[in-house]
Amino acid sequence: ALASIIIPSNVTNIDEEAFKNCTNFNSITFNSQTNLTNIGKEAFHNTILSSFNIPESVSYIGEGAFKSTSLTSLDIPDNVTIIQSSILYNCTNLASITIGNQVTTINNLAFSGCSNITAFIIPETVNYIYSKAFQNCSKLSLIEIPSQIINISDDAYENCTSVTDIKLNCYVQFNALFNALATIQNVSFN
């Protein structure tokens, strides 16, 4: 069974479902001169991949690309502008994530079920956070909302039962959002 792979520099795409359900797959290495730009939909879904260094050249990561993996941390490069739906859905080992400074949209269920994330810094460039993007992130305690936000879905933080602090850098109506987060202790405005 496939456990590891080295991706040569001439590969520009990892196709949809390329390694899906390769349950022994735990290591991927990229040539230092990589030209990879796209990671397809569900490319690594249901693998035991615990670490992954996304090359800076990547500009597109498909829906569910890392869904149900064993990743513990992930850095999404600056070239990525949209966080696709379910990109890290049910990654229960994920404790740390960094999002590049060009992201404008976080789609449905993007980080749903990432139950070990405690804090999540949303870049200032984000305008939209869609339905259940952070659903069931049960250890998430701090939410910081950027100043450029236009819309946050009322259920974006559904079942985030540990949220105690929200930092708002903007003016948006969040009535339903606050009602859904019954554990809030502090709301601050910057």
Side-chain angles (χ1 to χ4, degrees), residues 10 28 40 53-54 66 69 71 88 93 101 103 106 112-113 132 145 149 151 155 160 165 167 170 180 185-187 189:
N10 62 337
I28 187 166
N53 294 318
I54 300 175
F66 300 101
T69 62
L71 289 172
L88 287 159
N93 295 329
N101 289 321
V103 170
I106 299 175
S112 179
K132 301 181 182 188
I145 309 294
I149 202 76
N151 186 27
D155 60 353
C160 292
D165 296 283
K167 293 182 181 178
C170 58
Q185 296 174 4
N186 300 303
V187 176
F189 299 89

Side-chain angles (χ1 to χ4, degrees), residues 64-84:
F66 300 101
K67 183 178 182 179
S68 298
T69 62
S70 297
L71 289 172
T72 57
S73 66
L74 191 68
D75 293 340
I76 296 176
D78 285 341
N79 289 332
V80 174
T81 58
I82 296 175
I83 303 296
Q84 298 293 341

Side-chain angles (χ1 to χ4, degrees), residues 96-112:
S96 170
I97 185 158
T98 303
I99 294 179
N101 289 321
Q102 300 302 316
V103 170
T104 60
T105 303
I106 299 175
N107 273 315
N108 302 336
L109 301 166
F111 306 105
S112 179

Side-chain angles (χ1 to χ4, degrees), residues 6-7 28 31 35 37-40 42 69 73 85 100 116 131 147 151 154 156 159 162-163 169 181:
I6 298 171
I7 305 290
I28 187 166
N31 179 290
N35 290 304
T37 57
N38 297 305
I39 298 173
E42 295 189 358
T69 62
S73 66
S85 297
N116 274 315
S131 182
S147 61
N151 186 27
D154 291 344
N159 295 327
S162 297
V163 174
N169 297 315
L181 297 170

Side-chain angles (χ1 to χ4, degrees), residues 8-183:
S9 61
N10 62 337
V11 172
T12 58
N13 295 301
I14 296 176
D15 288 339
E16 288 186 12
E17 301 181 359
F19 301 100
K20 182 177 181 177
N21 295 323
C22 291
T23 55
N24 291 324
F25 186 73
N26 64 8
S27 174
I28 187 166
T29 306
F30 294 96
N31 179 290
S32 62
Q33 303 298 314
T34 188
N35 290 304
L36 186 72
T37 57
N38 297 305
I39 298 173
K41 178 180 178 180
E42 295 189 358
F44 299 98
H45 177 202
N46 199 33
T47 66
I48 59 169
L49 197 61
S50 61
S51 67
F52 191 98
N53 294 318
I54 300 175
E56 288 295 321
S57 56
V58 170
S59 59
Y60 176 81
I61 303 170
E63 289 182 27
F66 300 101
K67 183 178 182 179
S68 298
T69 62
S70 297
L71 289 172
T72 57
S73 66
L74 191 68
D75 293 340
I76 296 176
D78 285 341
N79 289 332
V80 174
T81 58
I82 296 175
I83 303 296
Q84 298 293 341
S85 297
S86 303
I87 189 173
L88 287 159
Y89 181 86
N90 202 34
C91 290
T92 57
N93 295 329
L94 191 71
S96 170
I97 185 158
T98 303
I99 294 179
N101 289 321
Q102 300 302 316
V103 170
T104 60
T105 303
I106 299 175
N107 273 315
N108 302 336
L109 301 166
F111 306 105
S112 179
C114 295
S115 54
N116 274 315
I117 293 177
T118 58
F120 196 99
I121 298 172
I122 298 170
E124 283 293 319
T125 54
V126 172
N127 300 126
Y128 301 96
I129 300 174
Y130 287 105
S131 182
K132 301 181 182 188
F134 297 93
Q135 176 191 43
N136 297 325
C137 292
S138 56
K139 291 185 181 174
L140 185 64
S141 61
L142 170 65
I143 297 172
E144 188 165 340
I145 309 294
S147 61
Q148 301 299 314
I149 202 76
I150 295 170
N151 186 27
I152 296 179
S153 199
D154 291 344
D155 60 353
Y157 293 94
E158 183 177 270
N159 295 327
C160 292
T161 55
S162 297
V163 174
T164 56
D165 296 283
I166 293 181
K167 293 182 181 178
L168 298 173
N169 297 315
C170 58
Y171 172 78
V172 177
Q173 291 184 342
F174 293 107
N175 298 338
L177 176 64
F178 288 135
N179 290 338
L181 297 170
T183 55

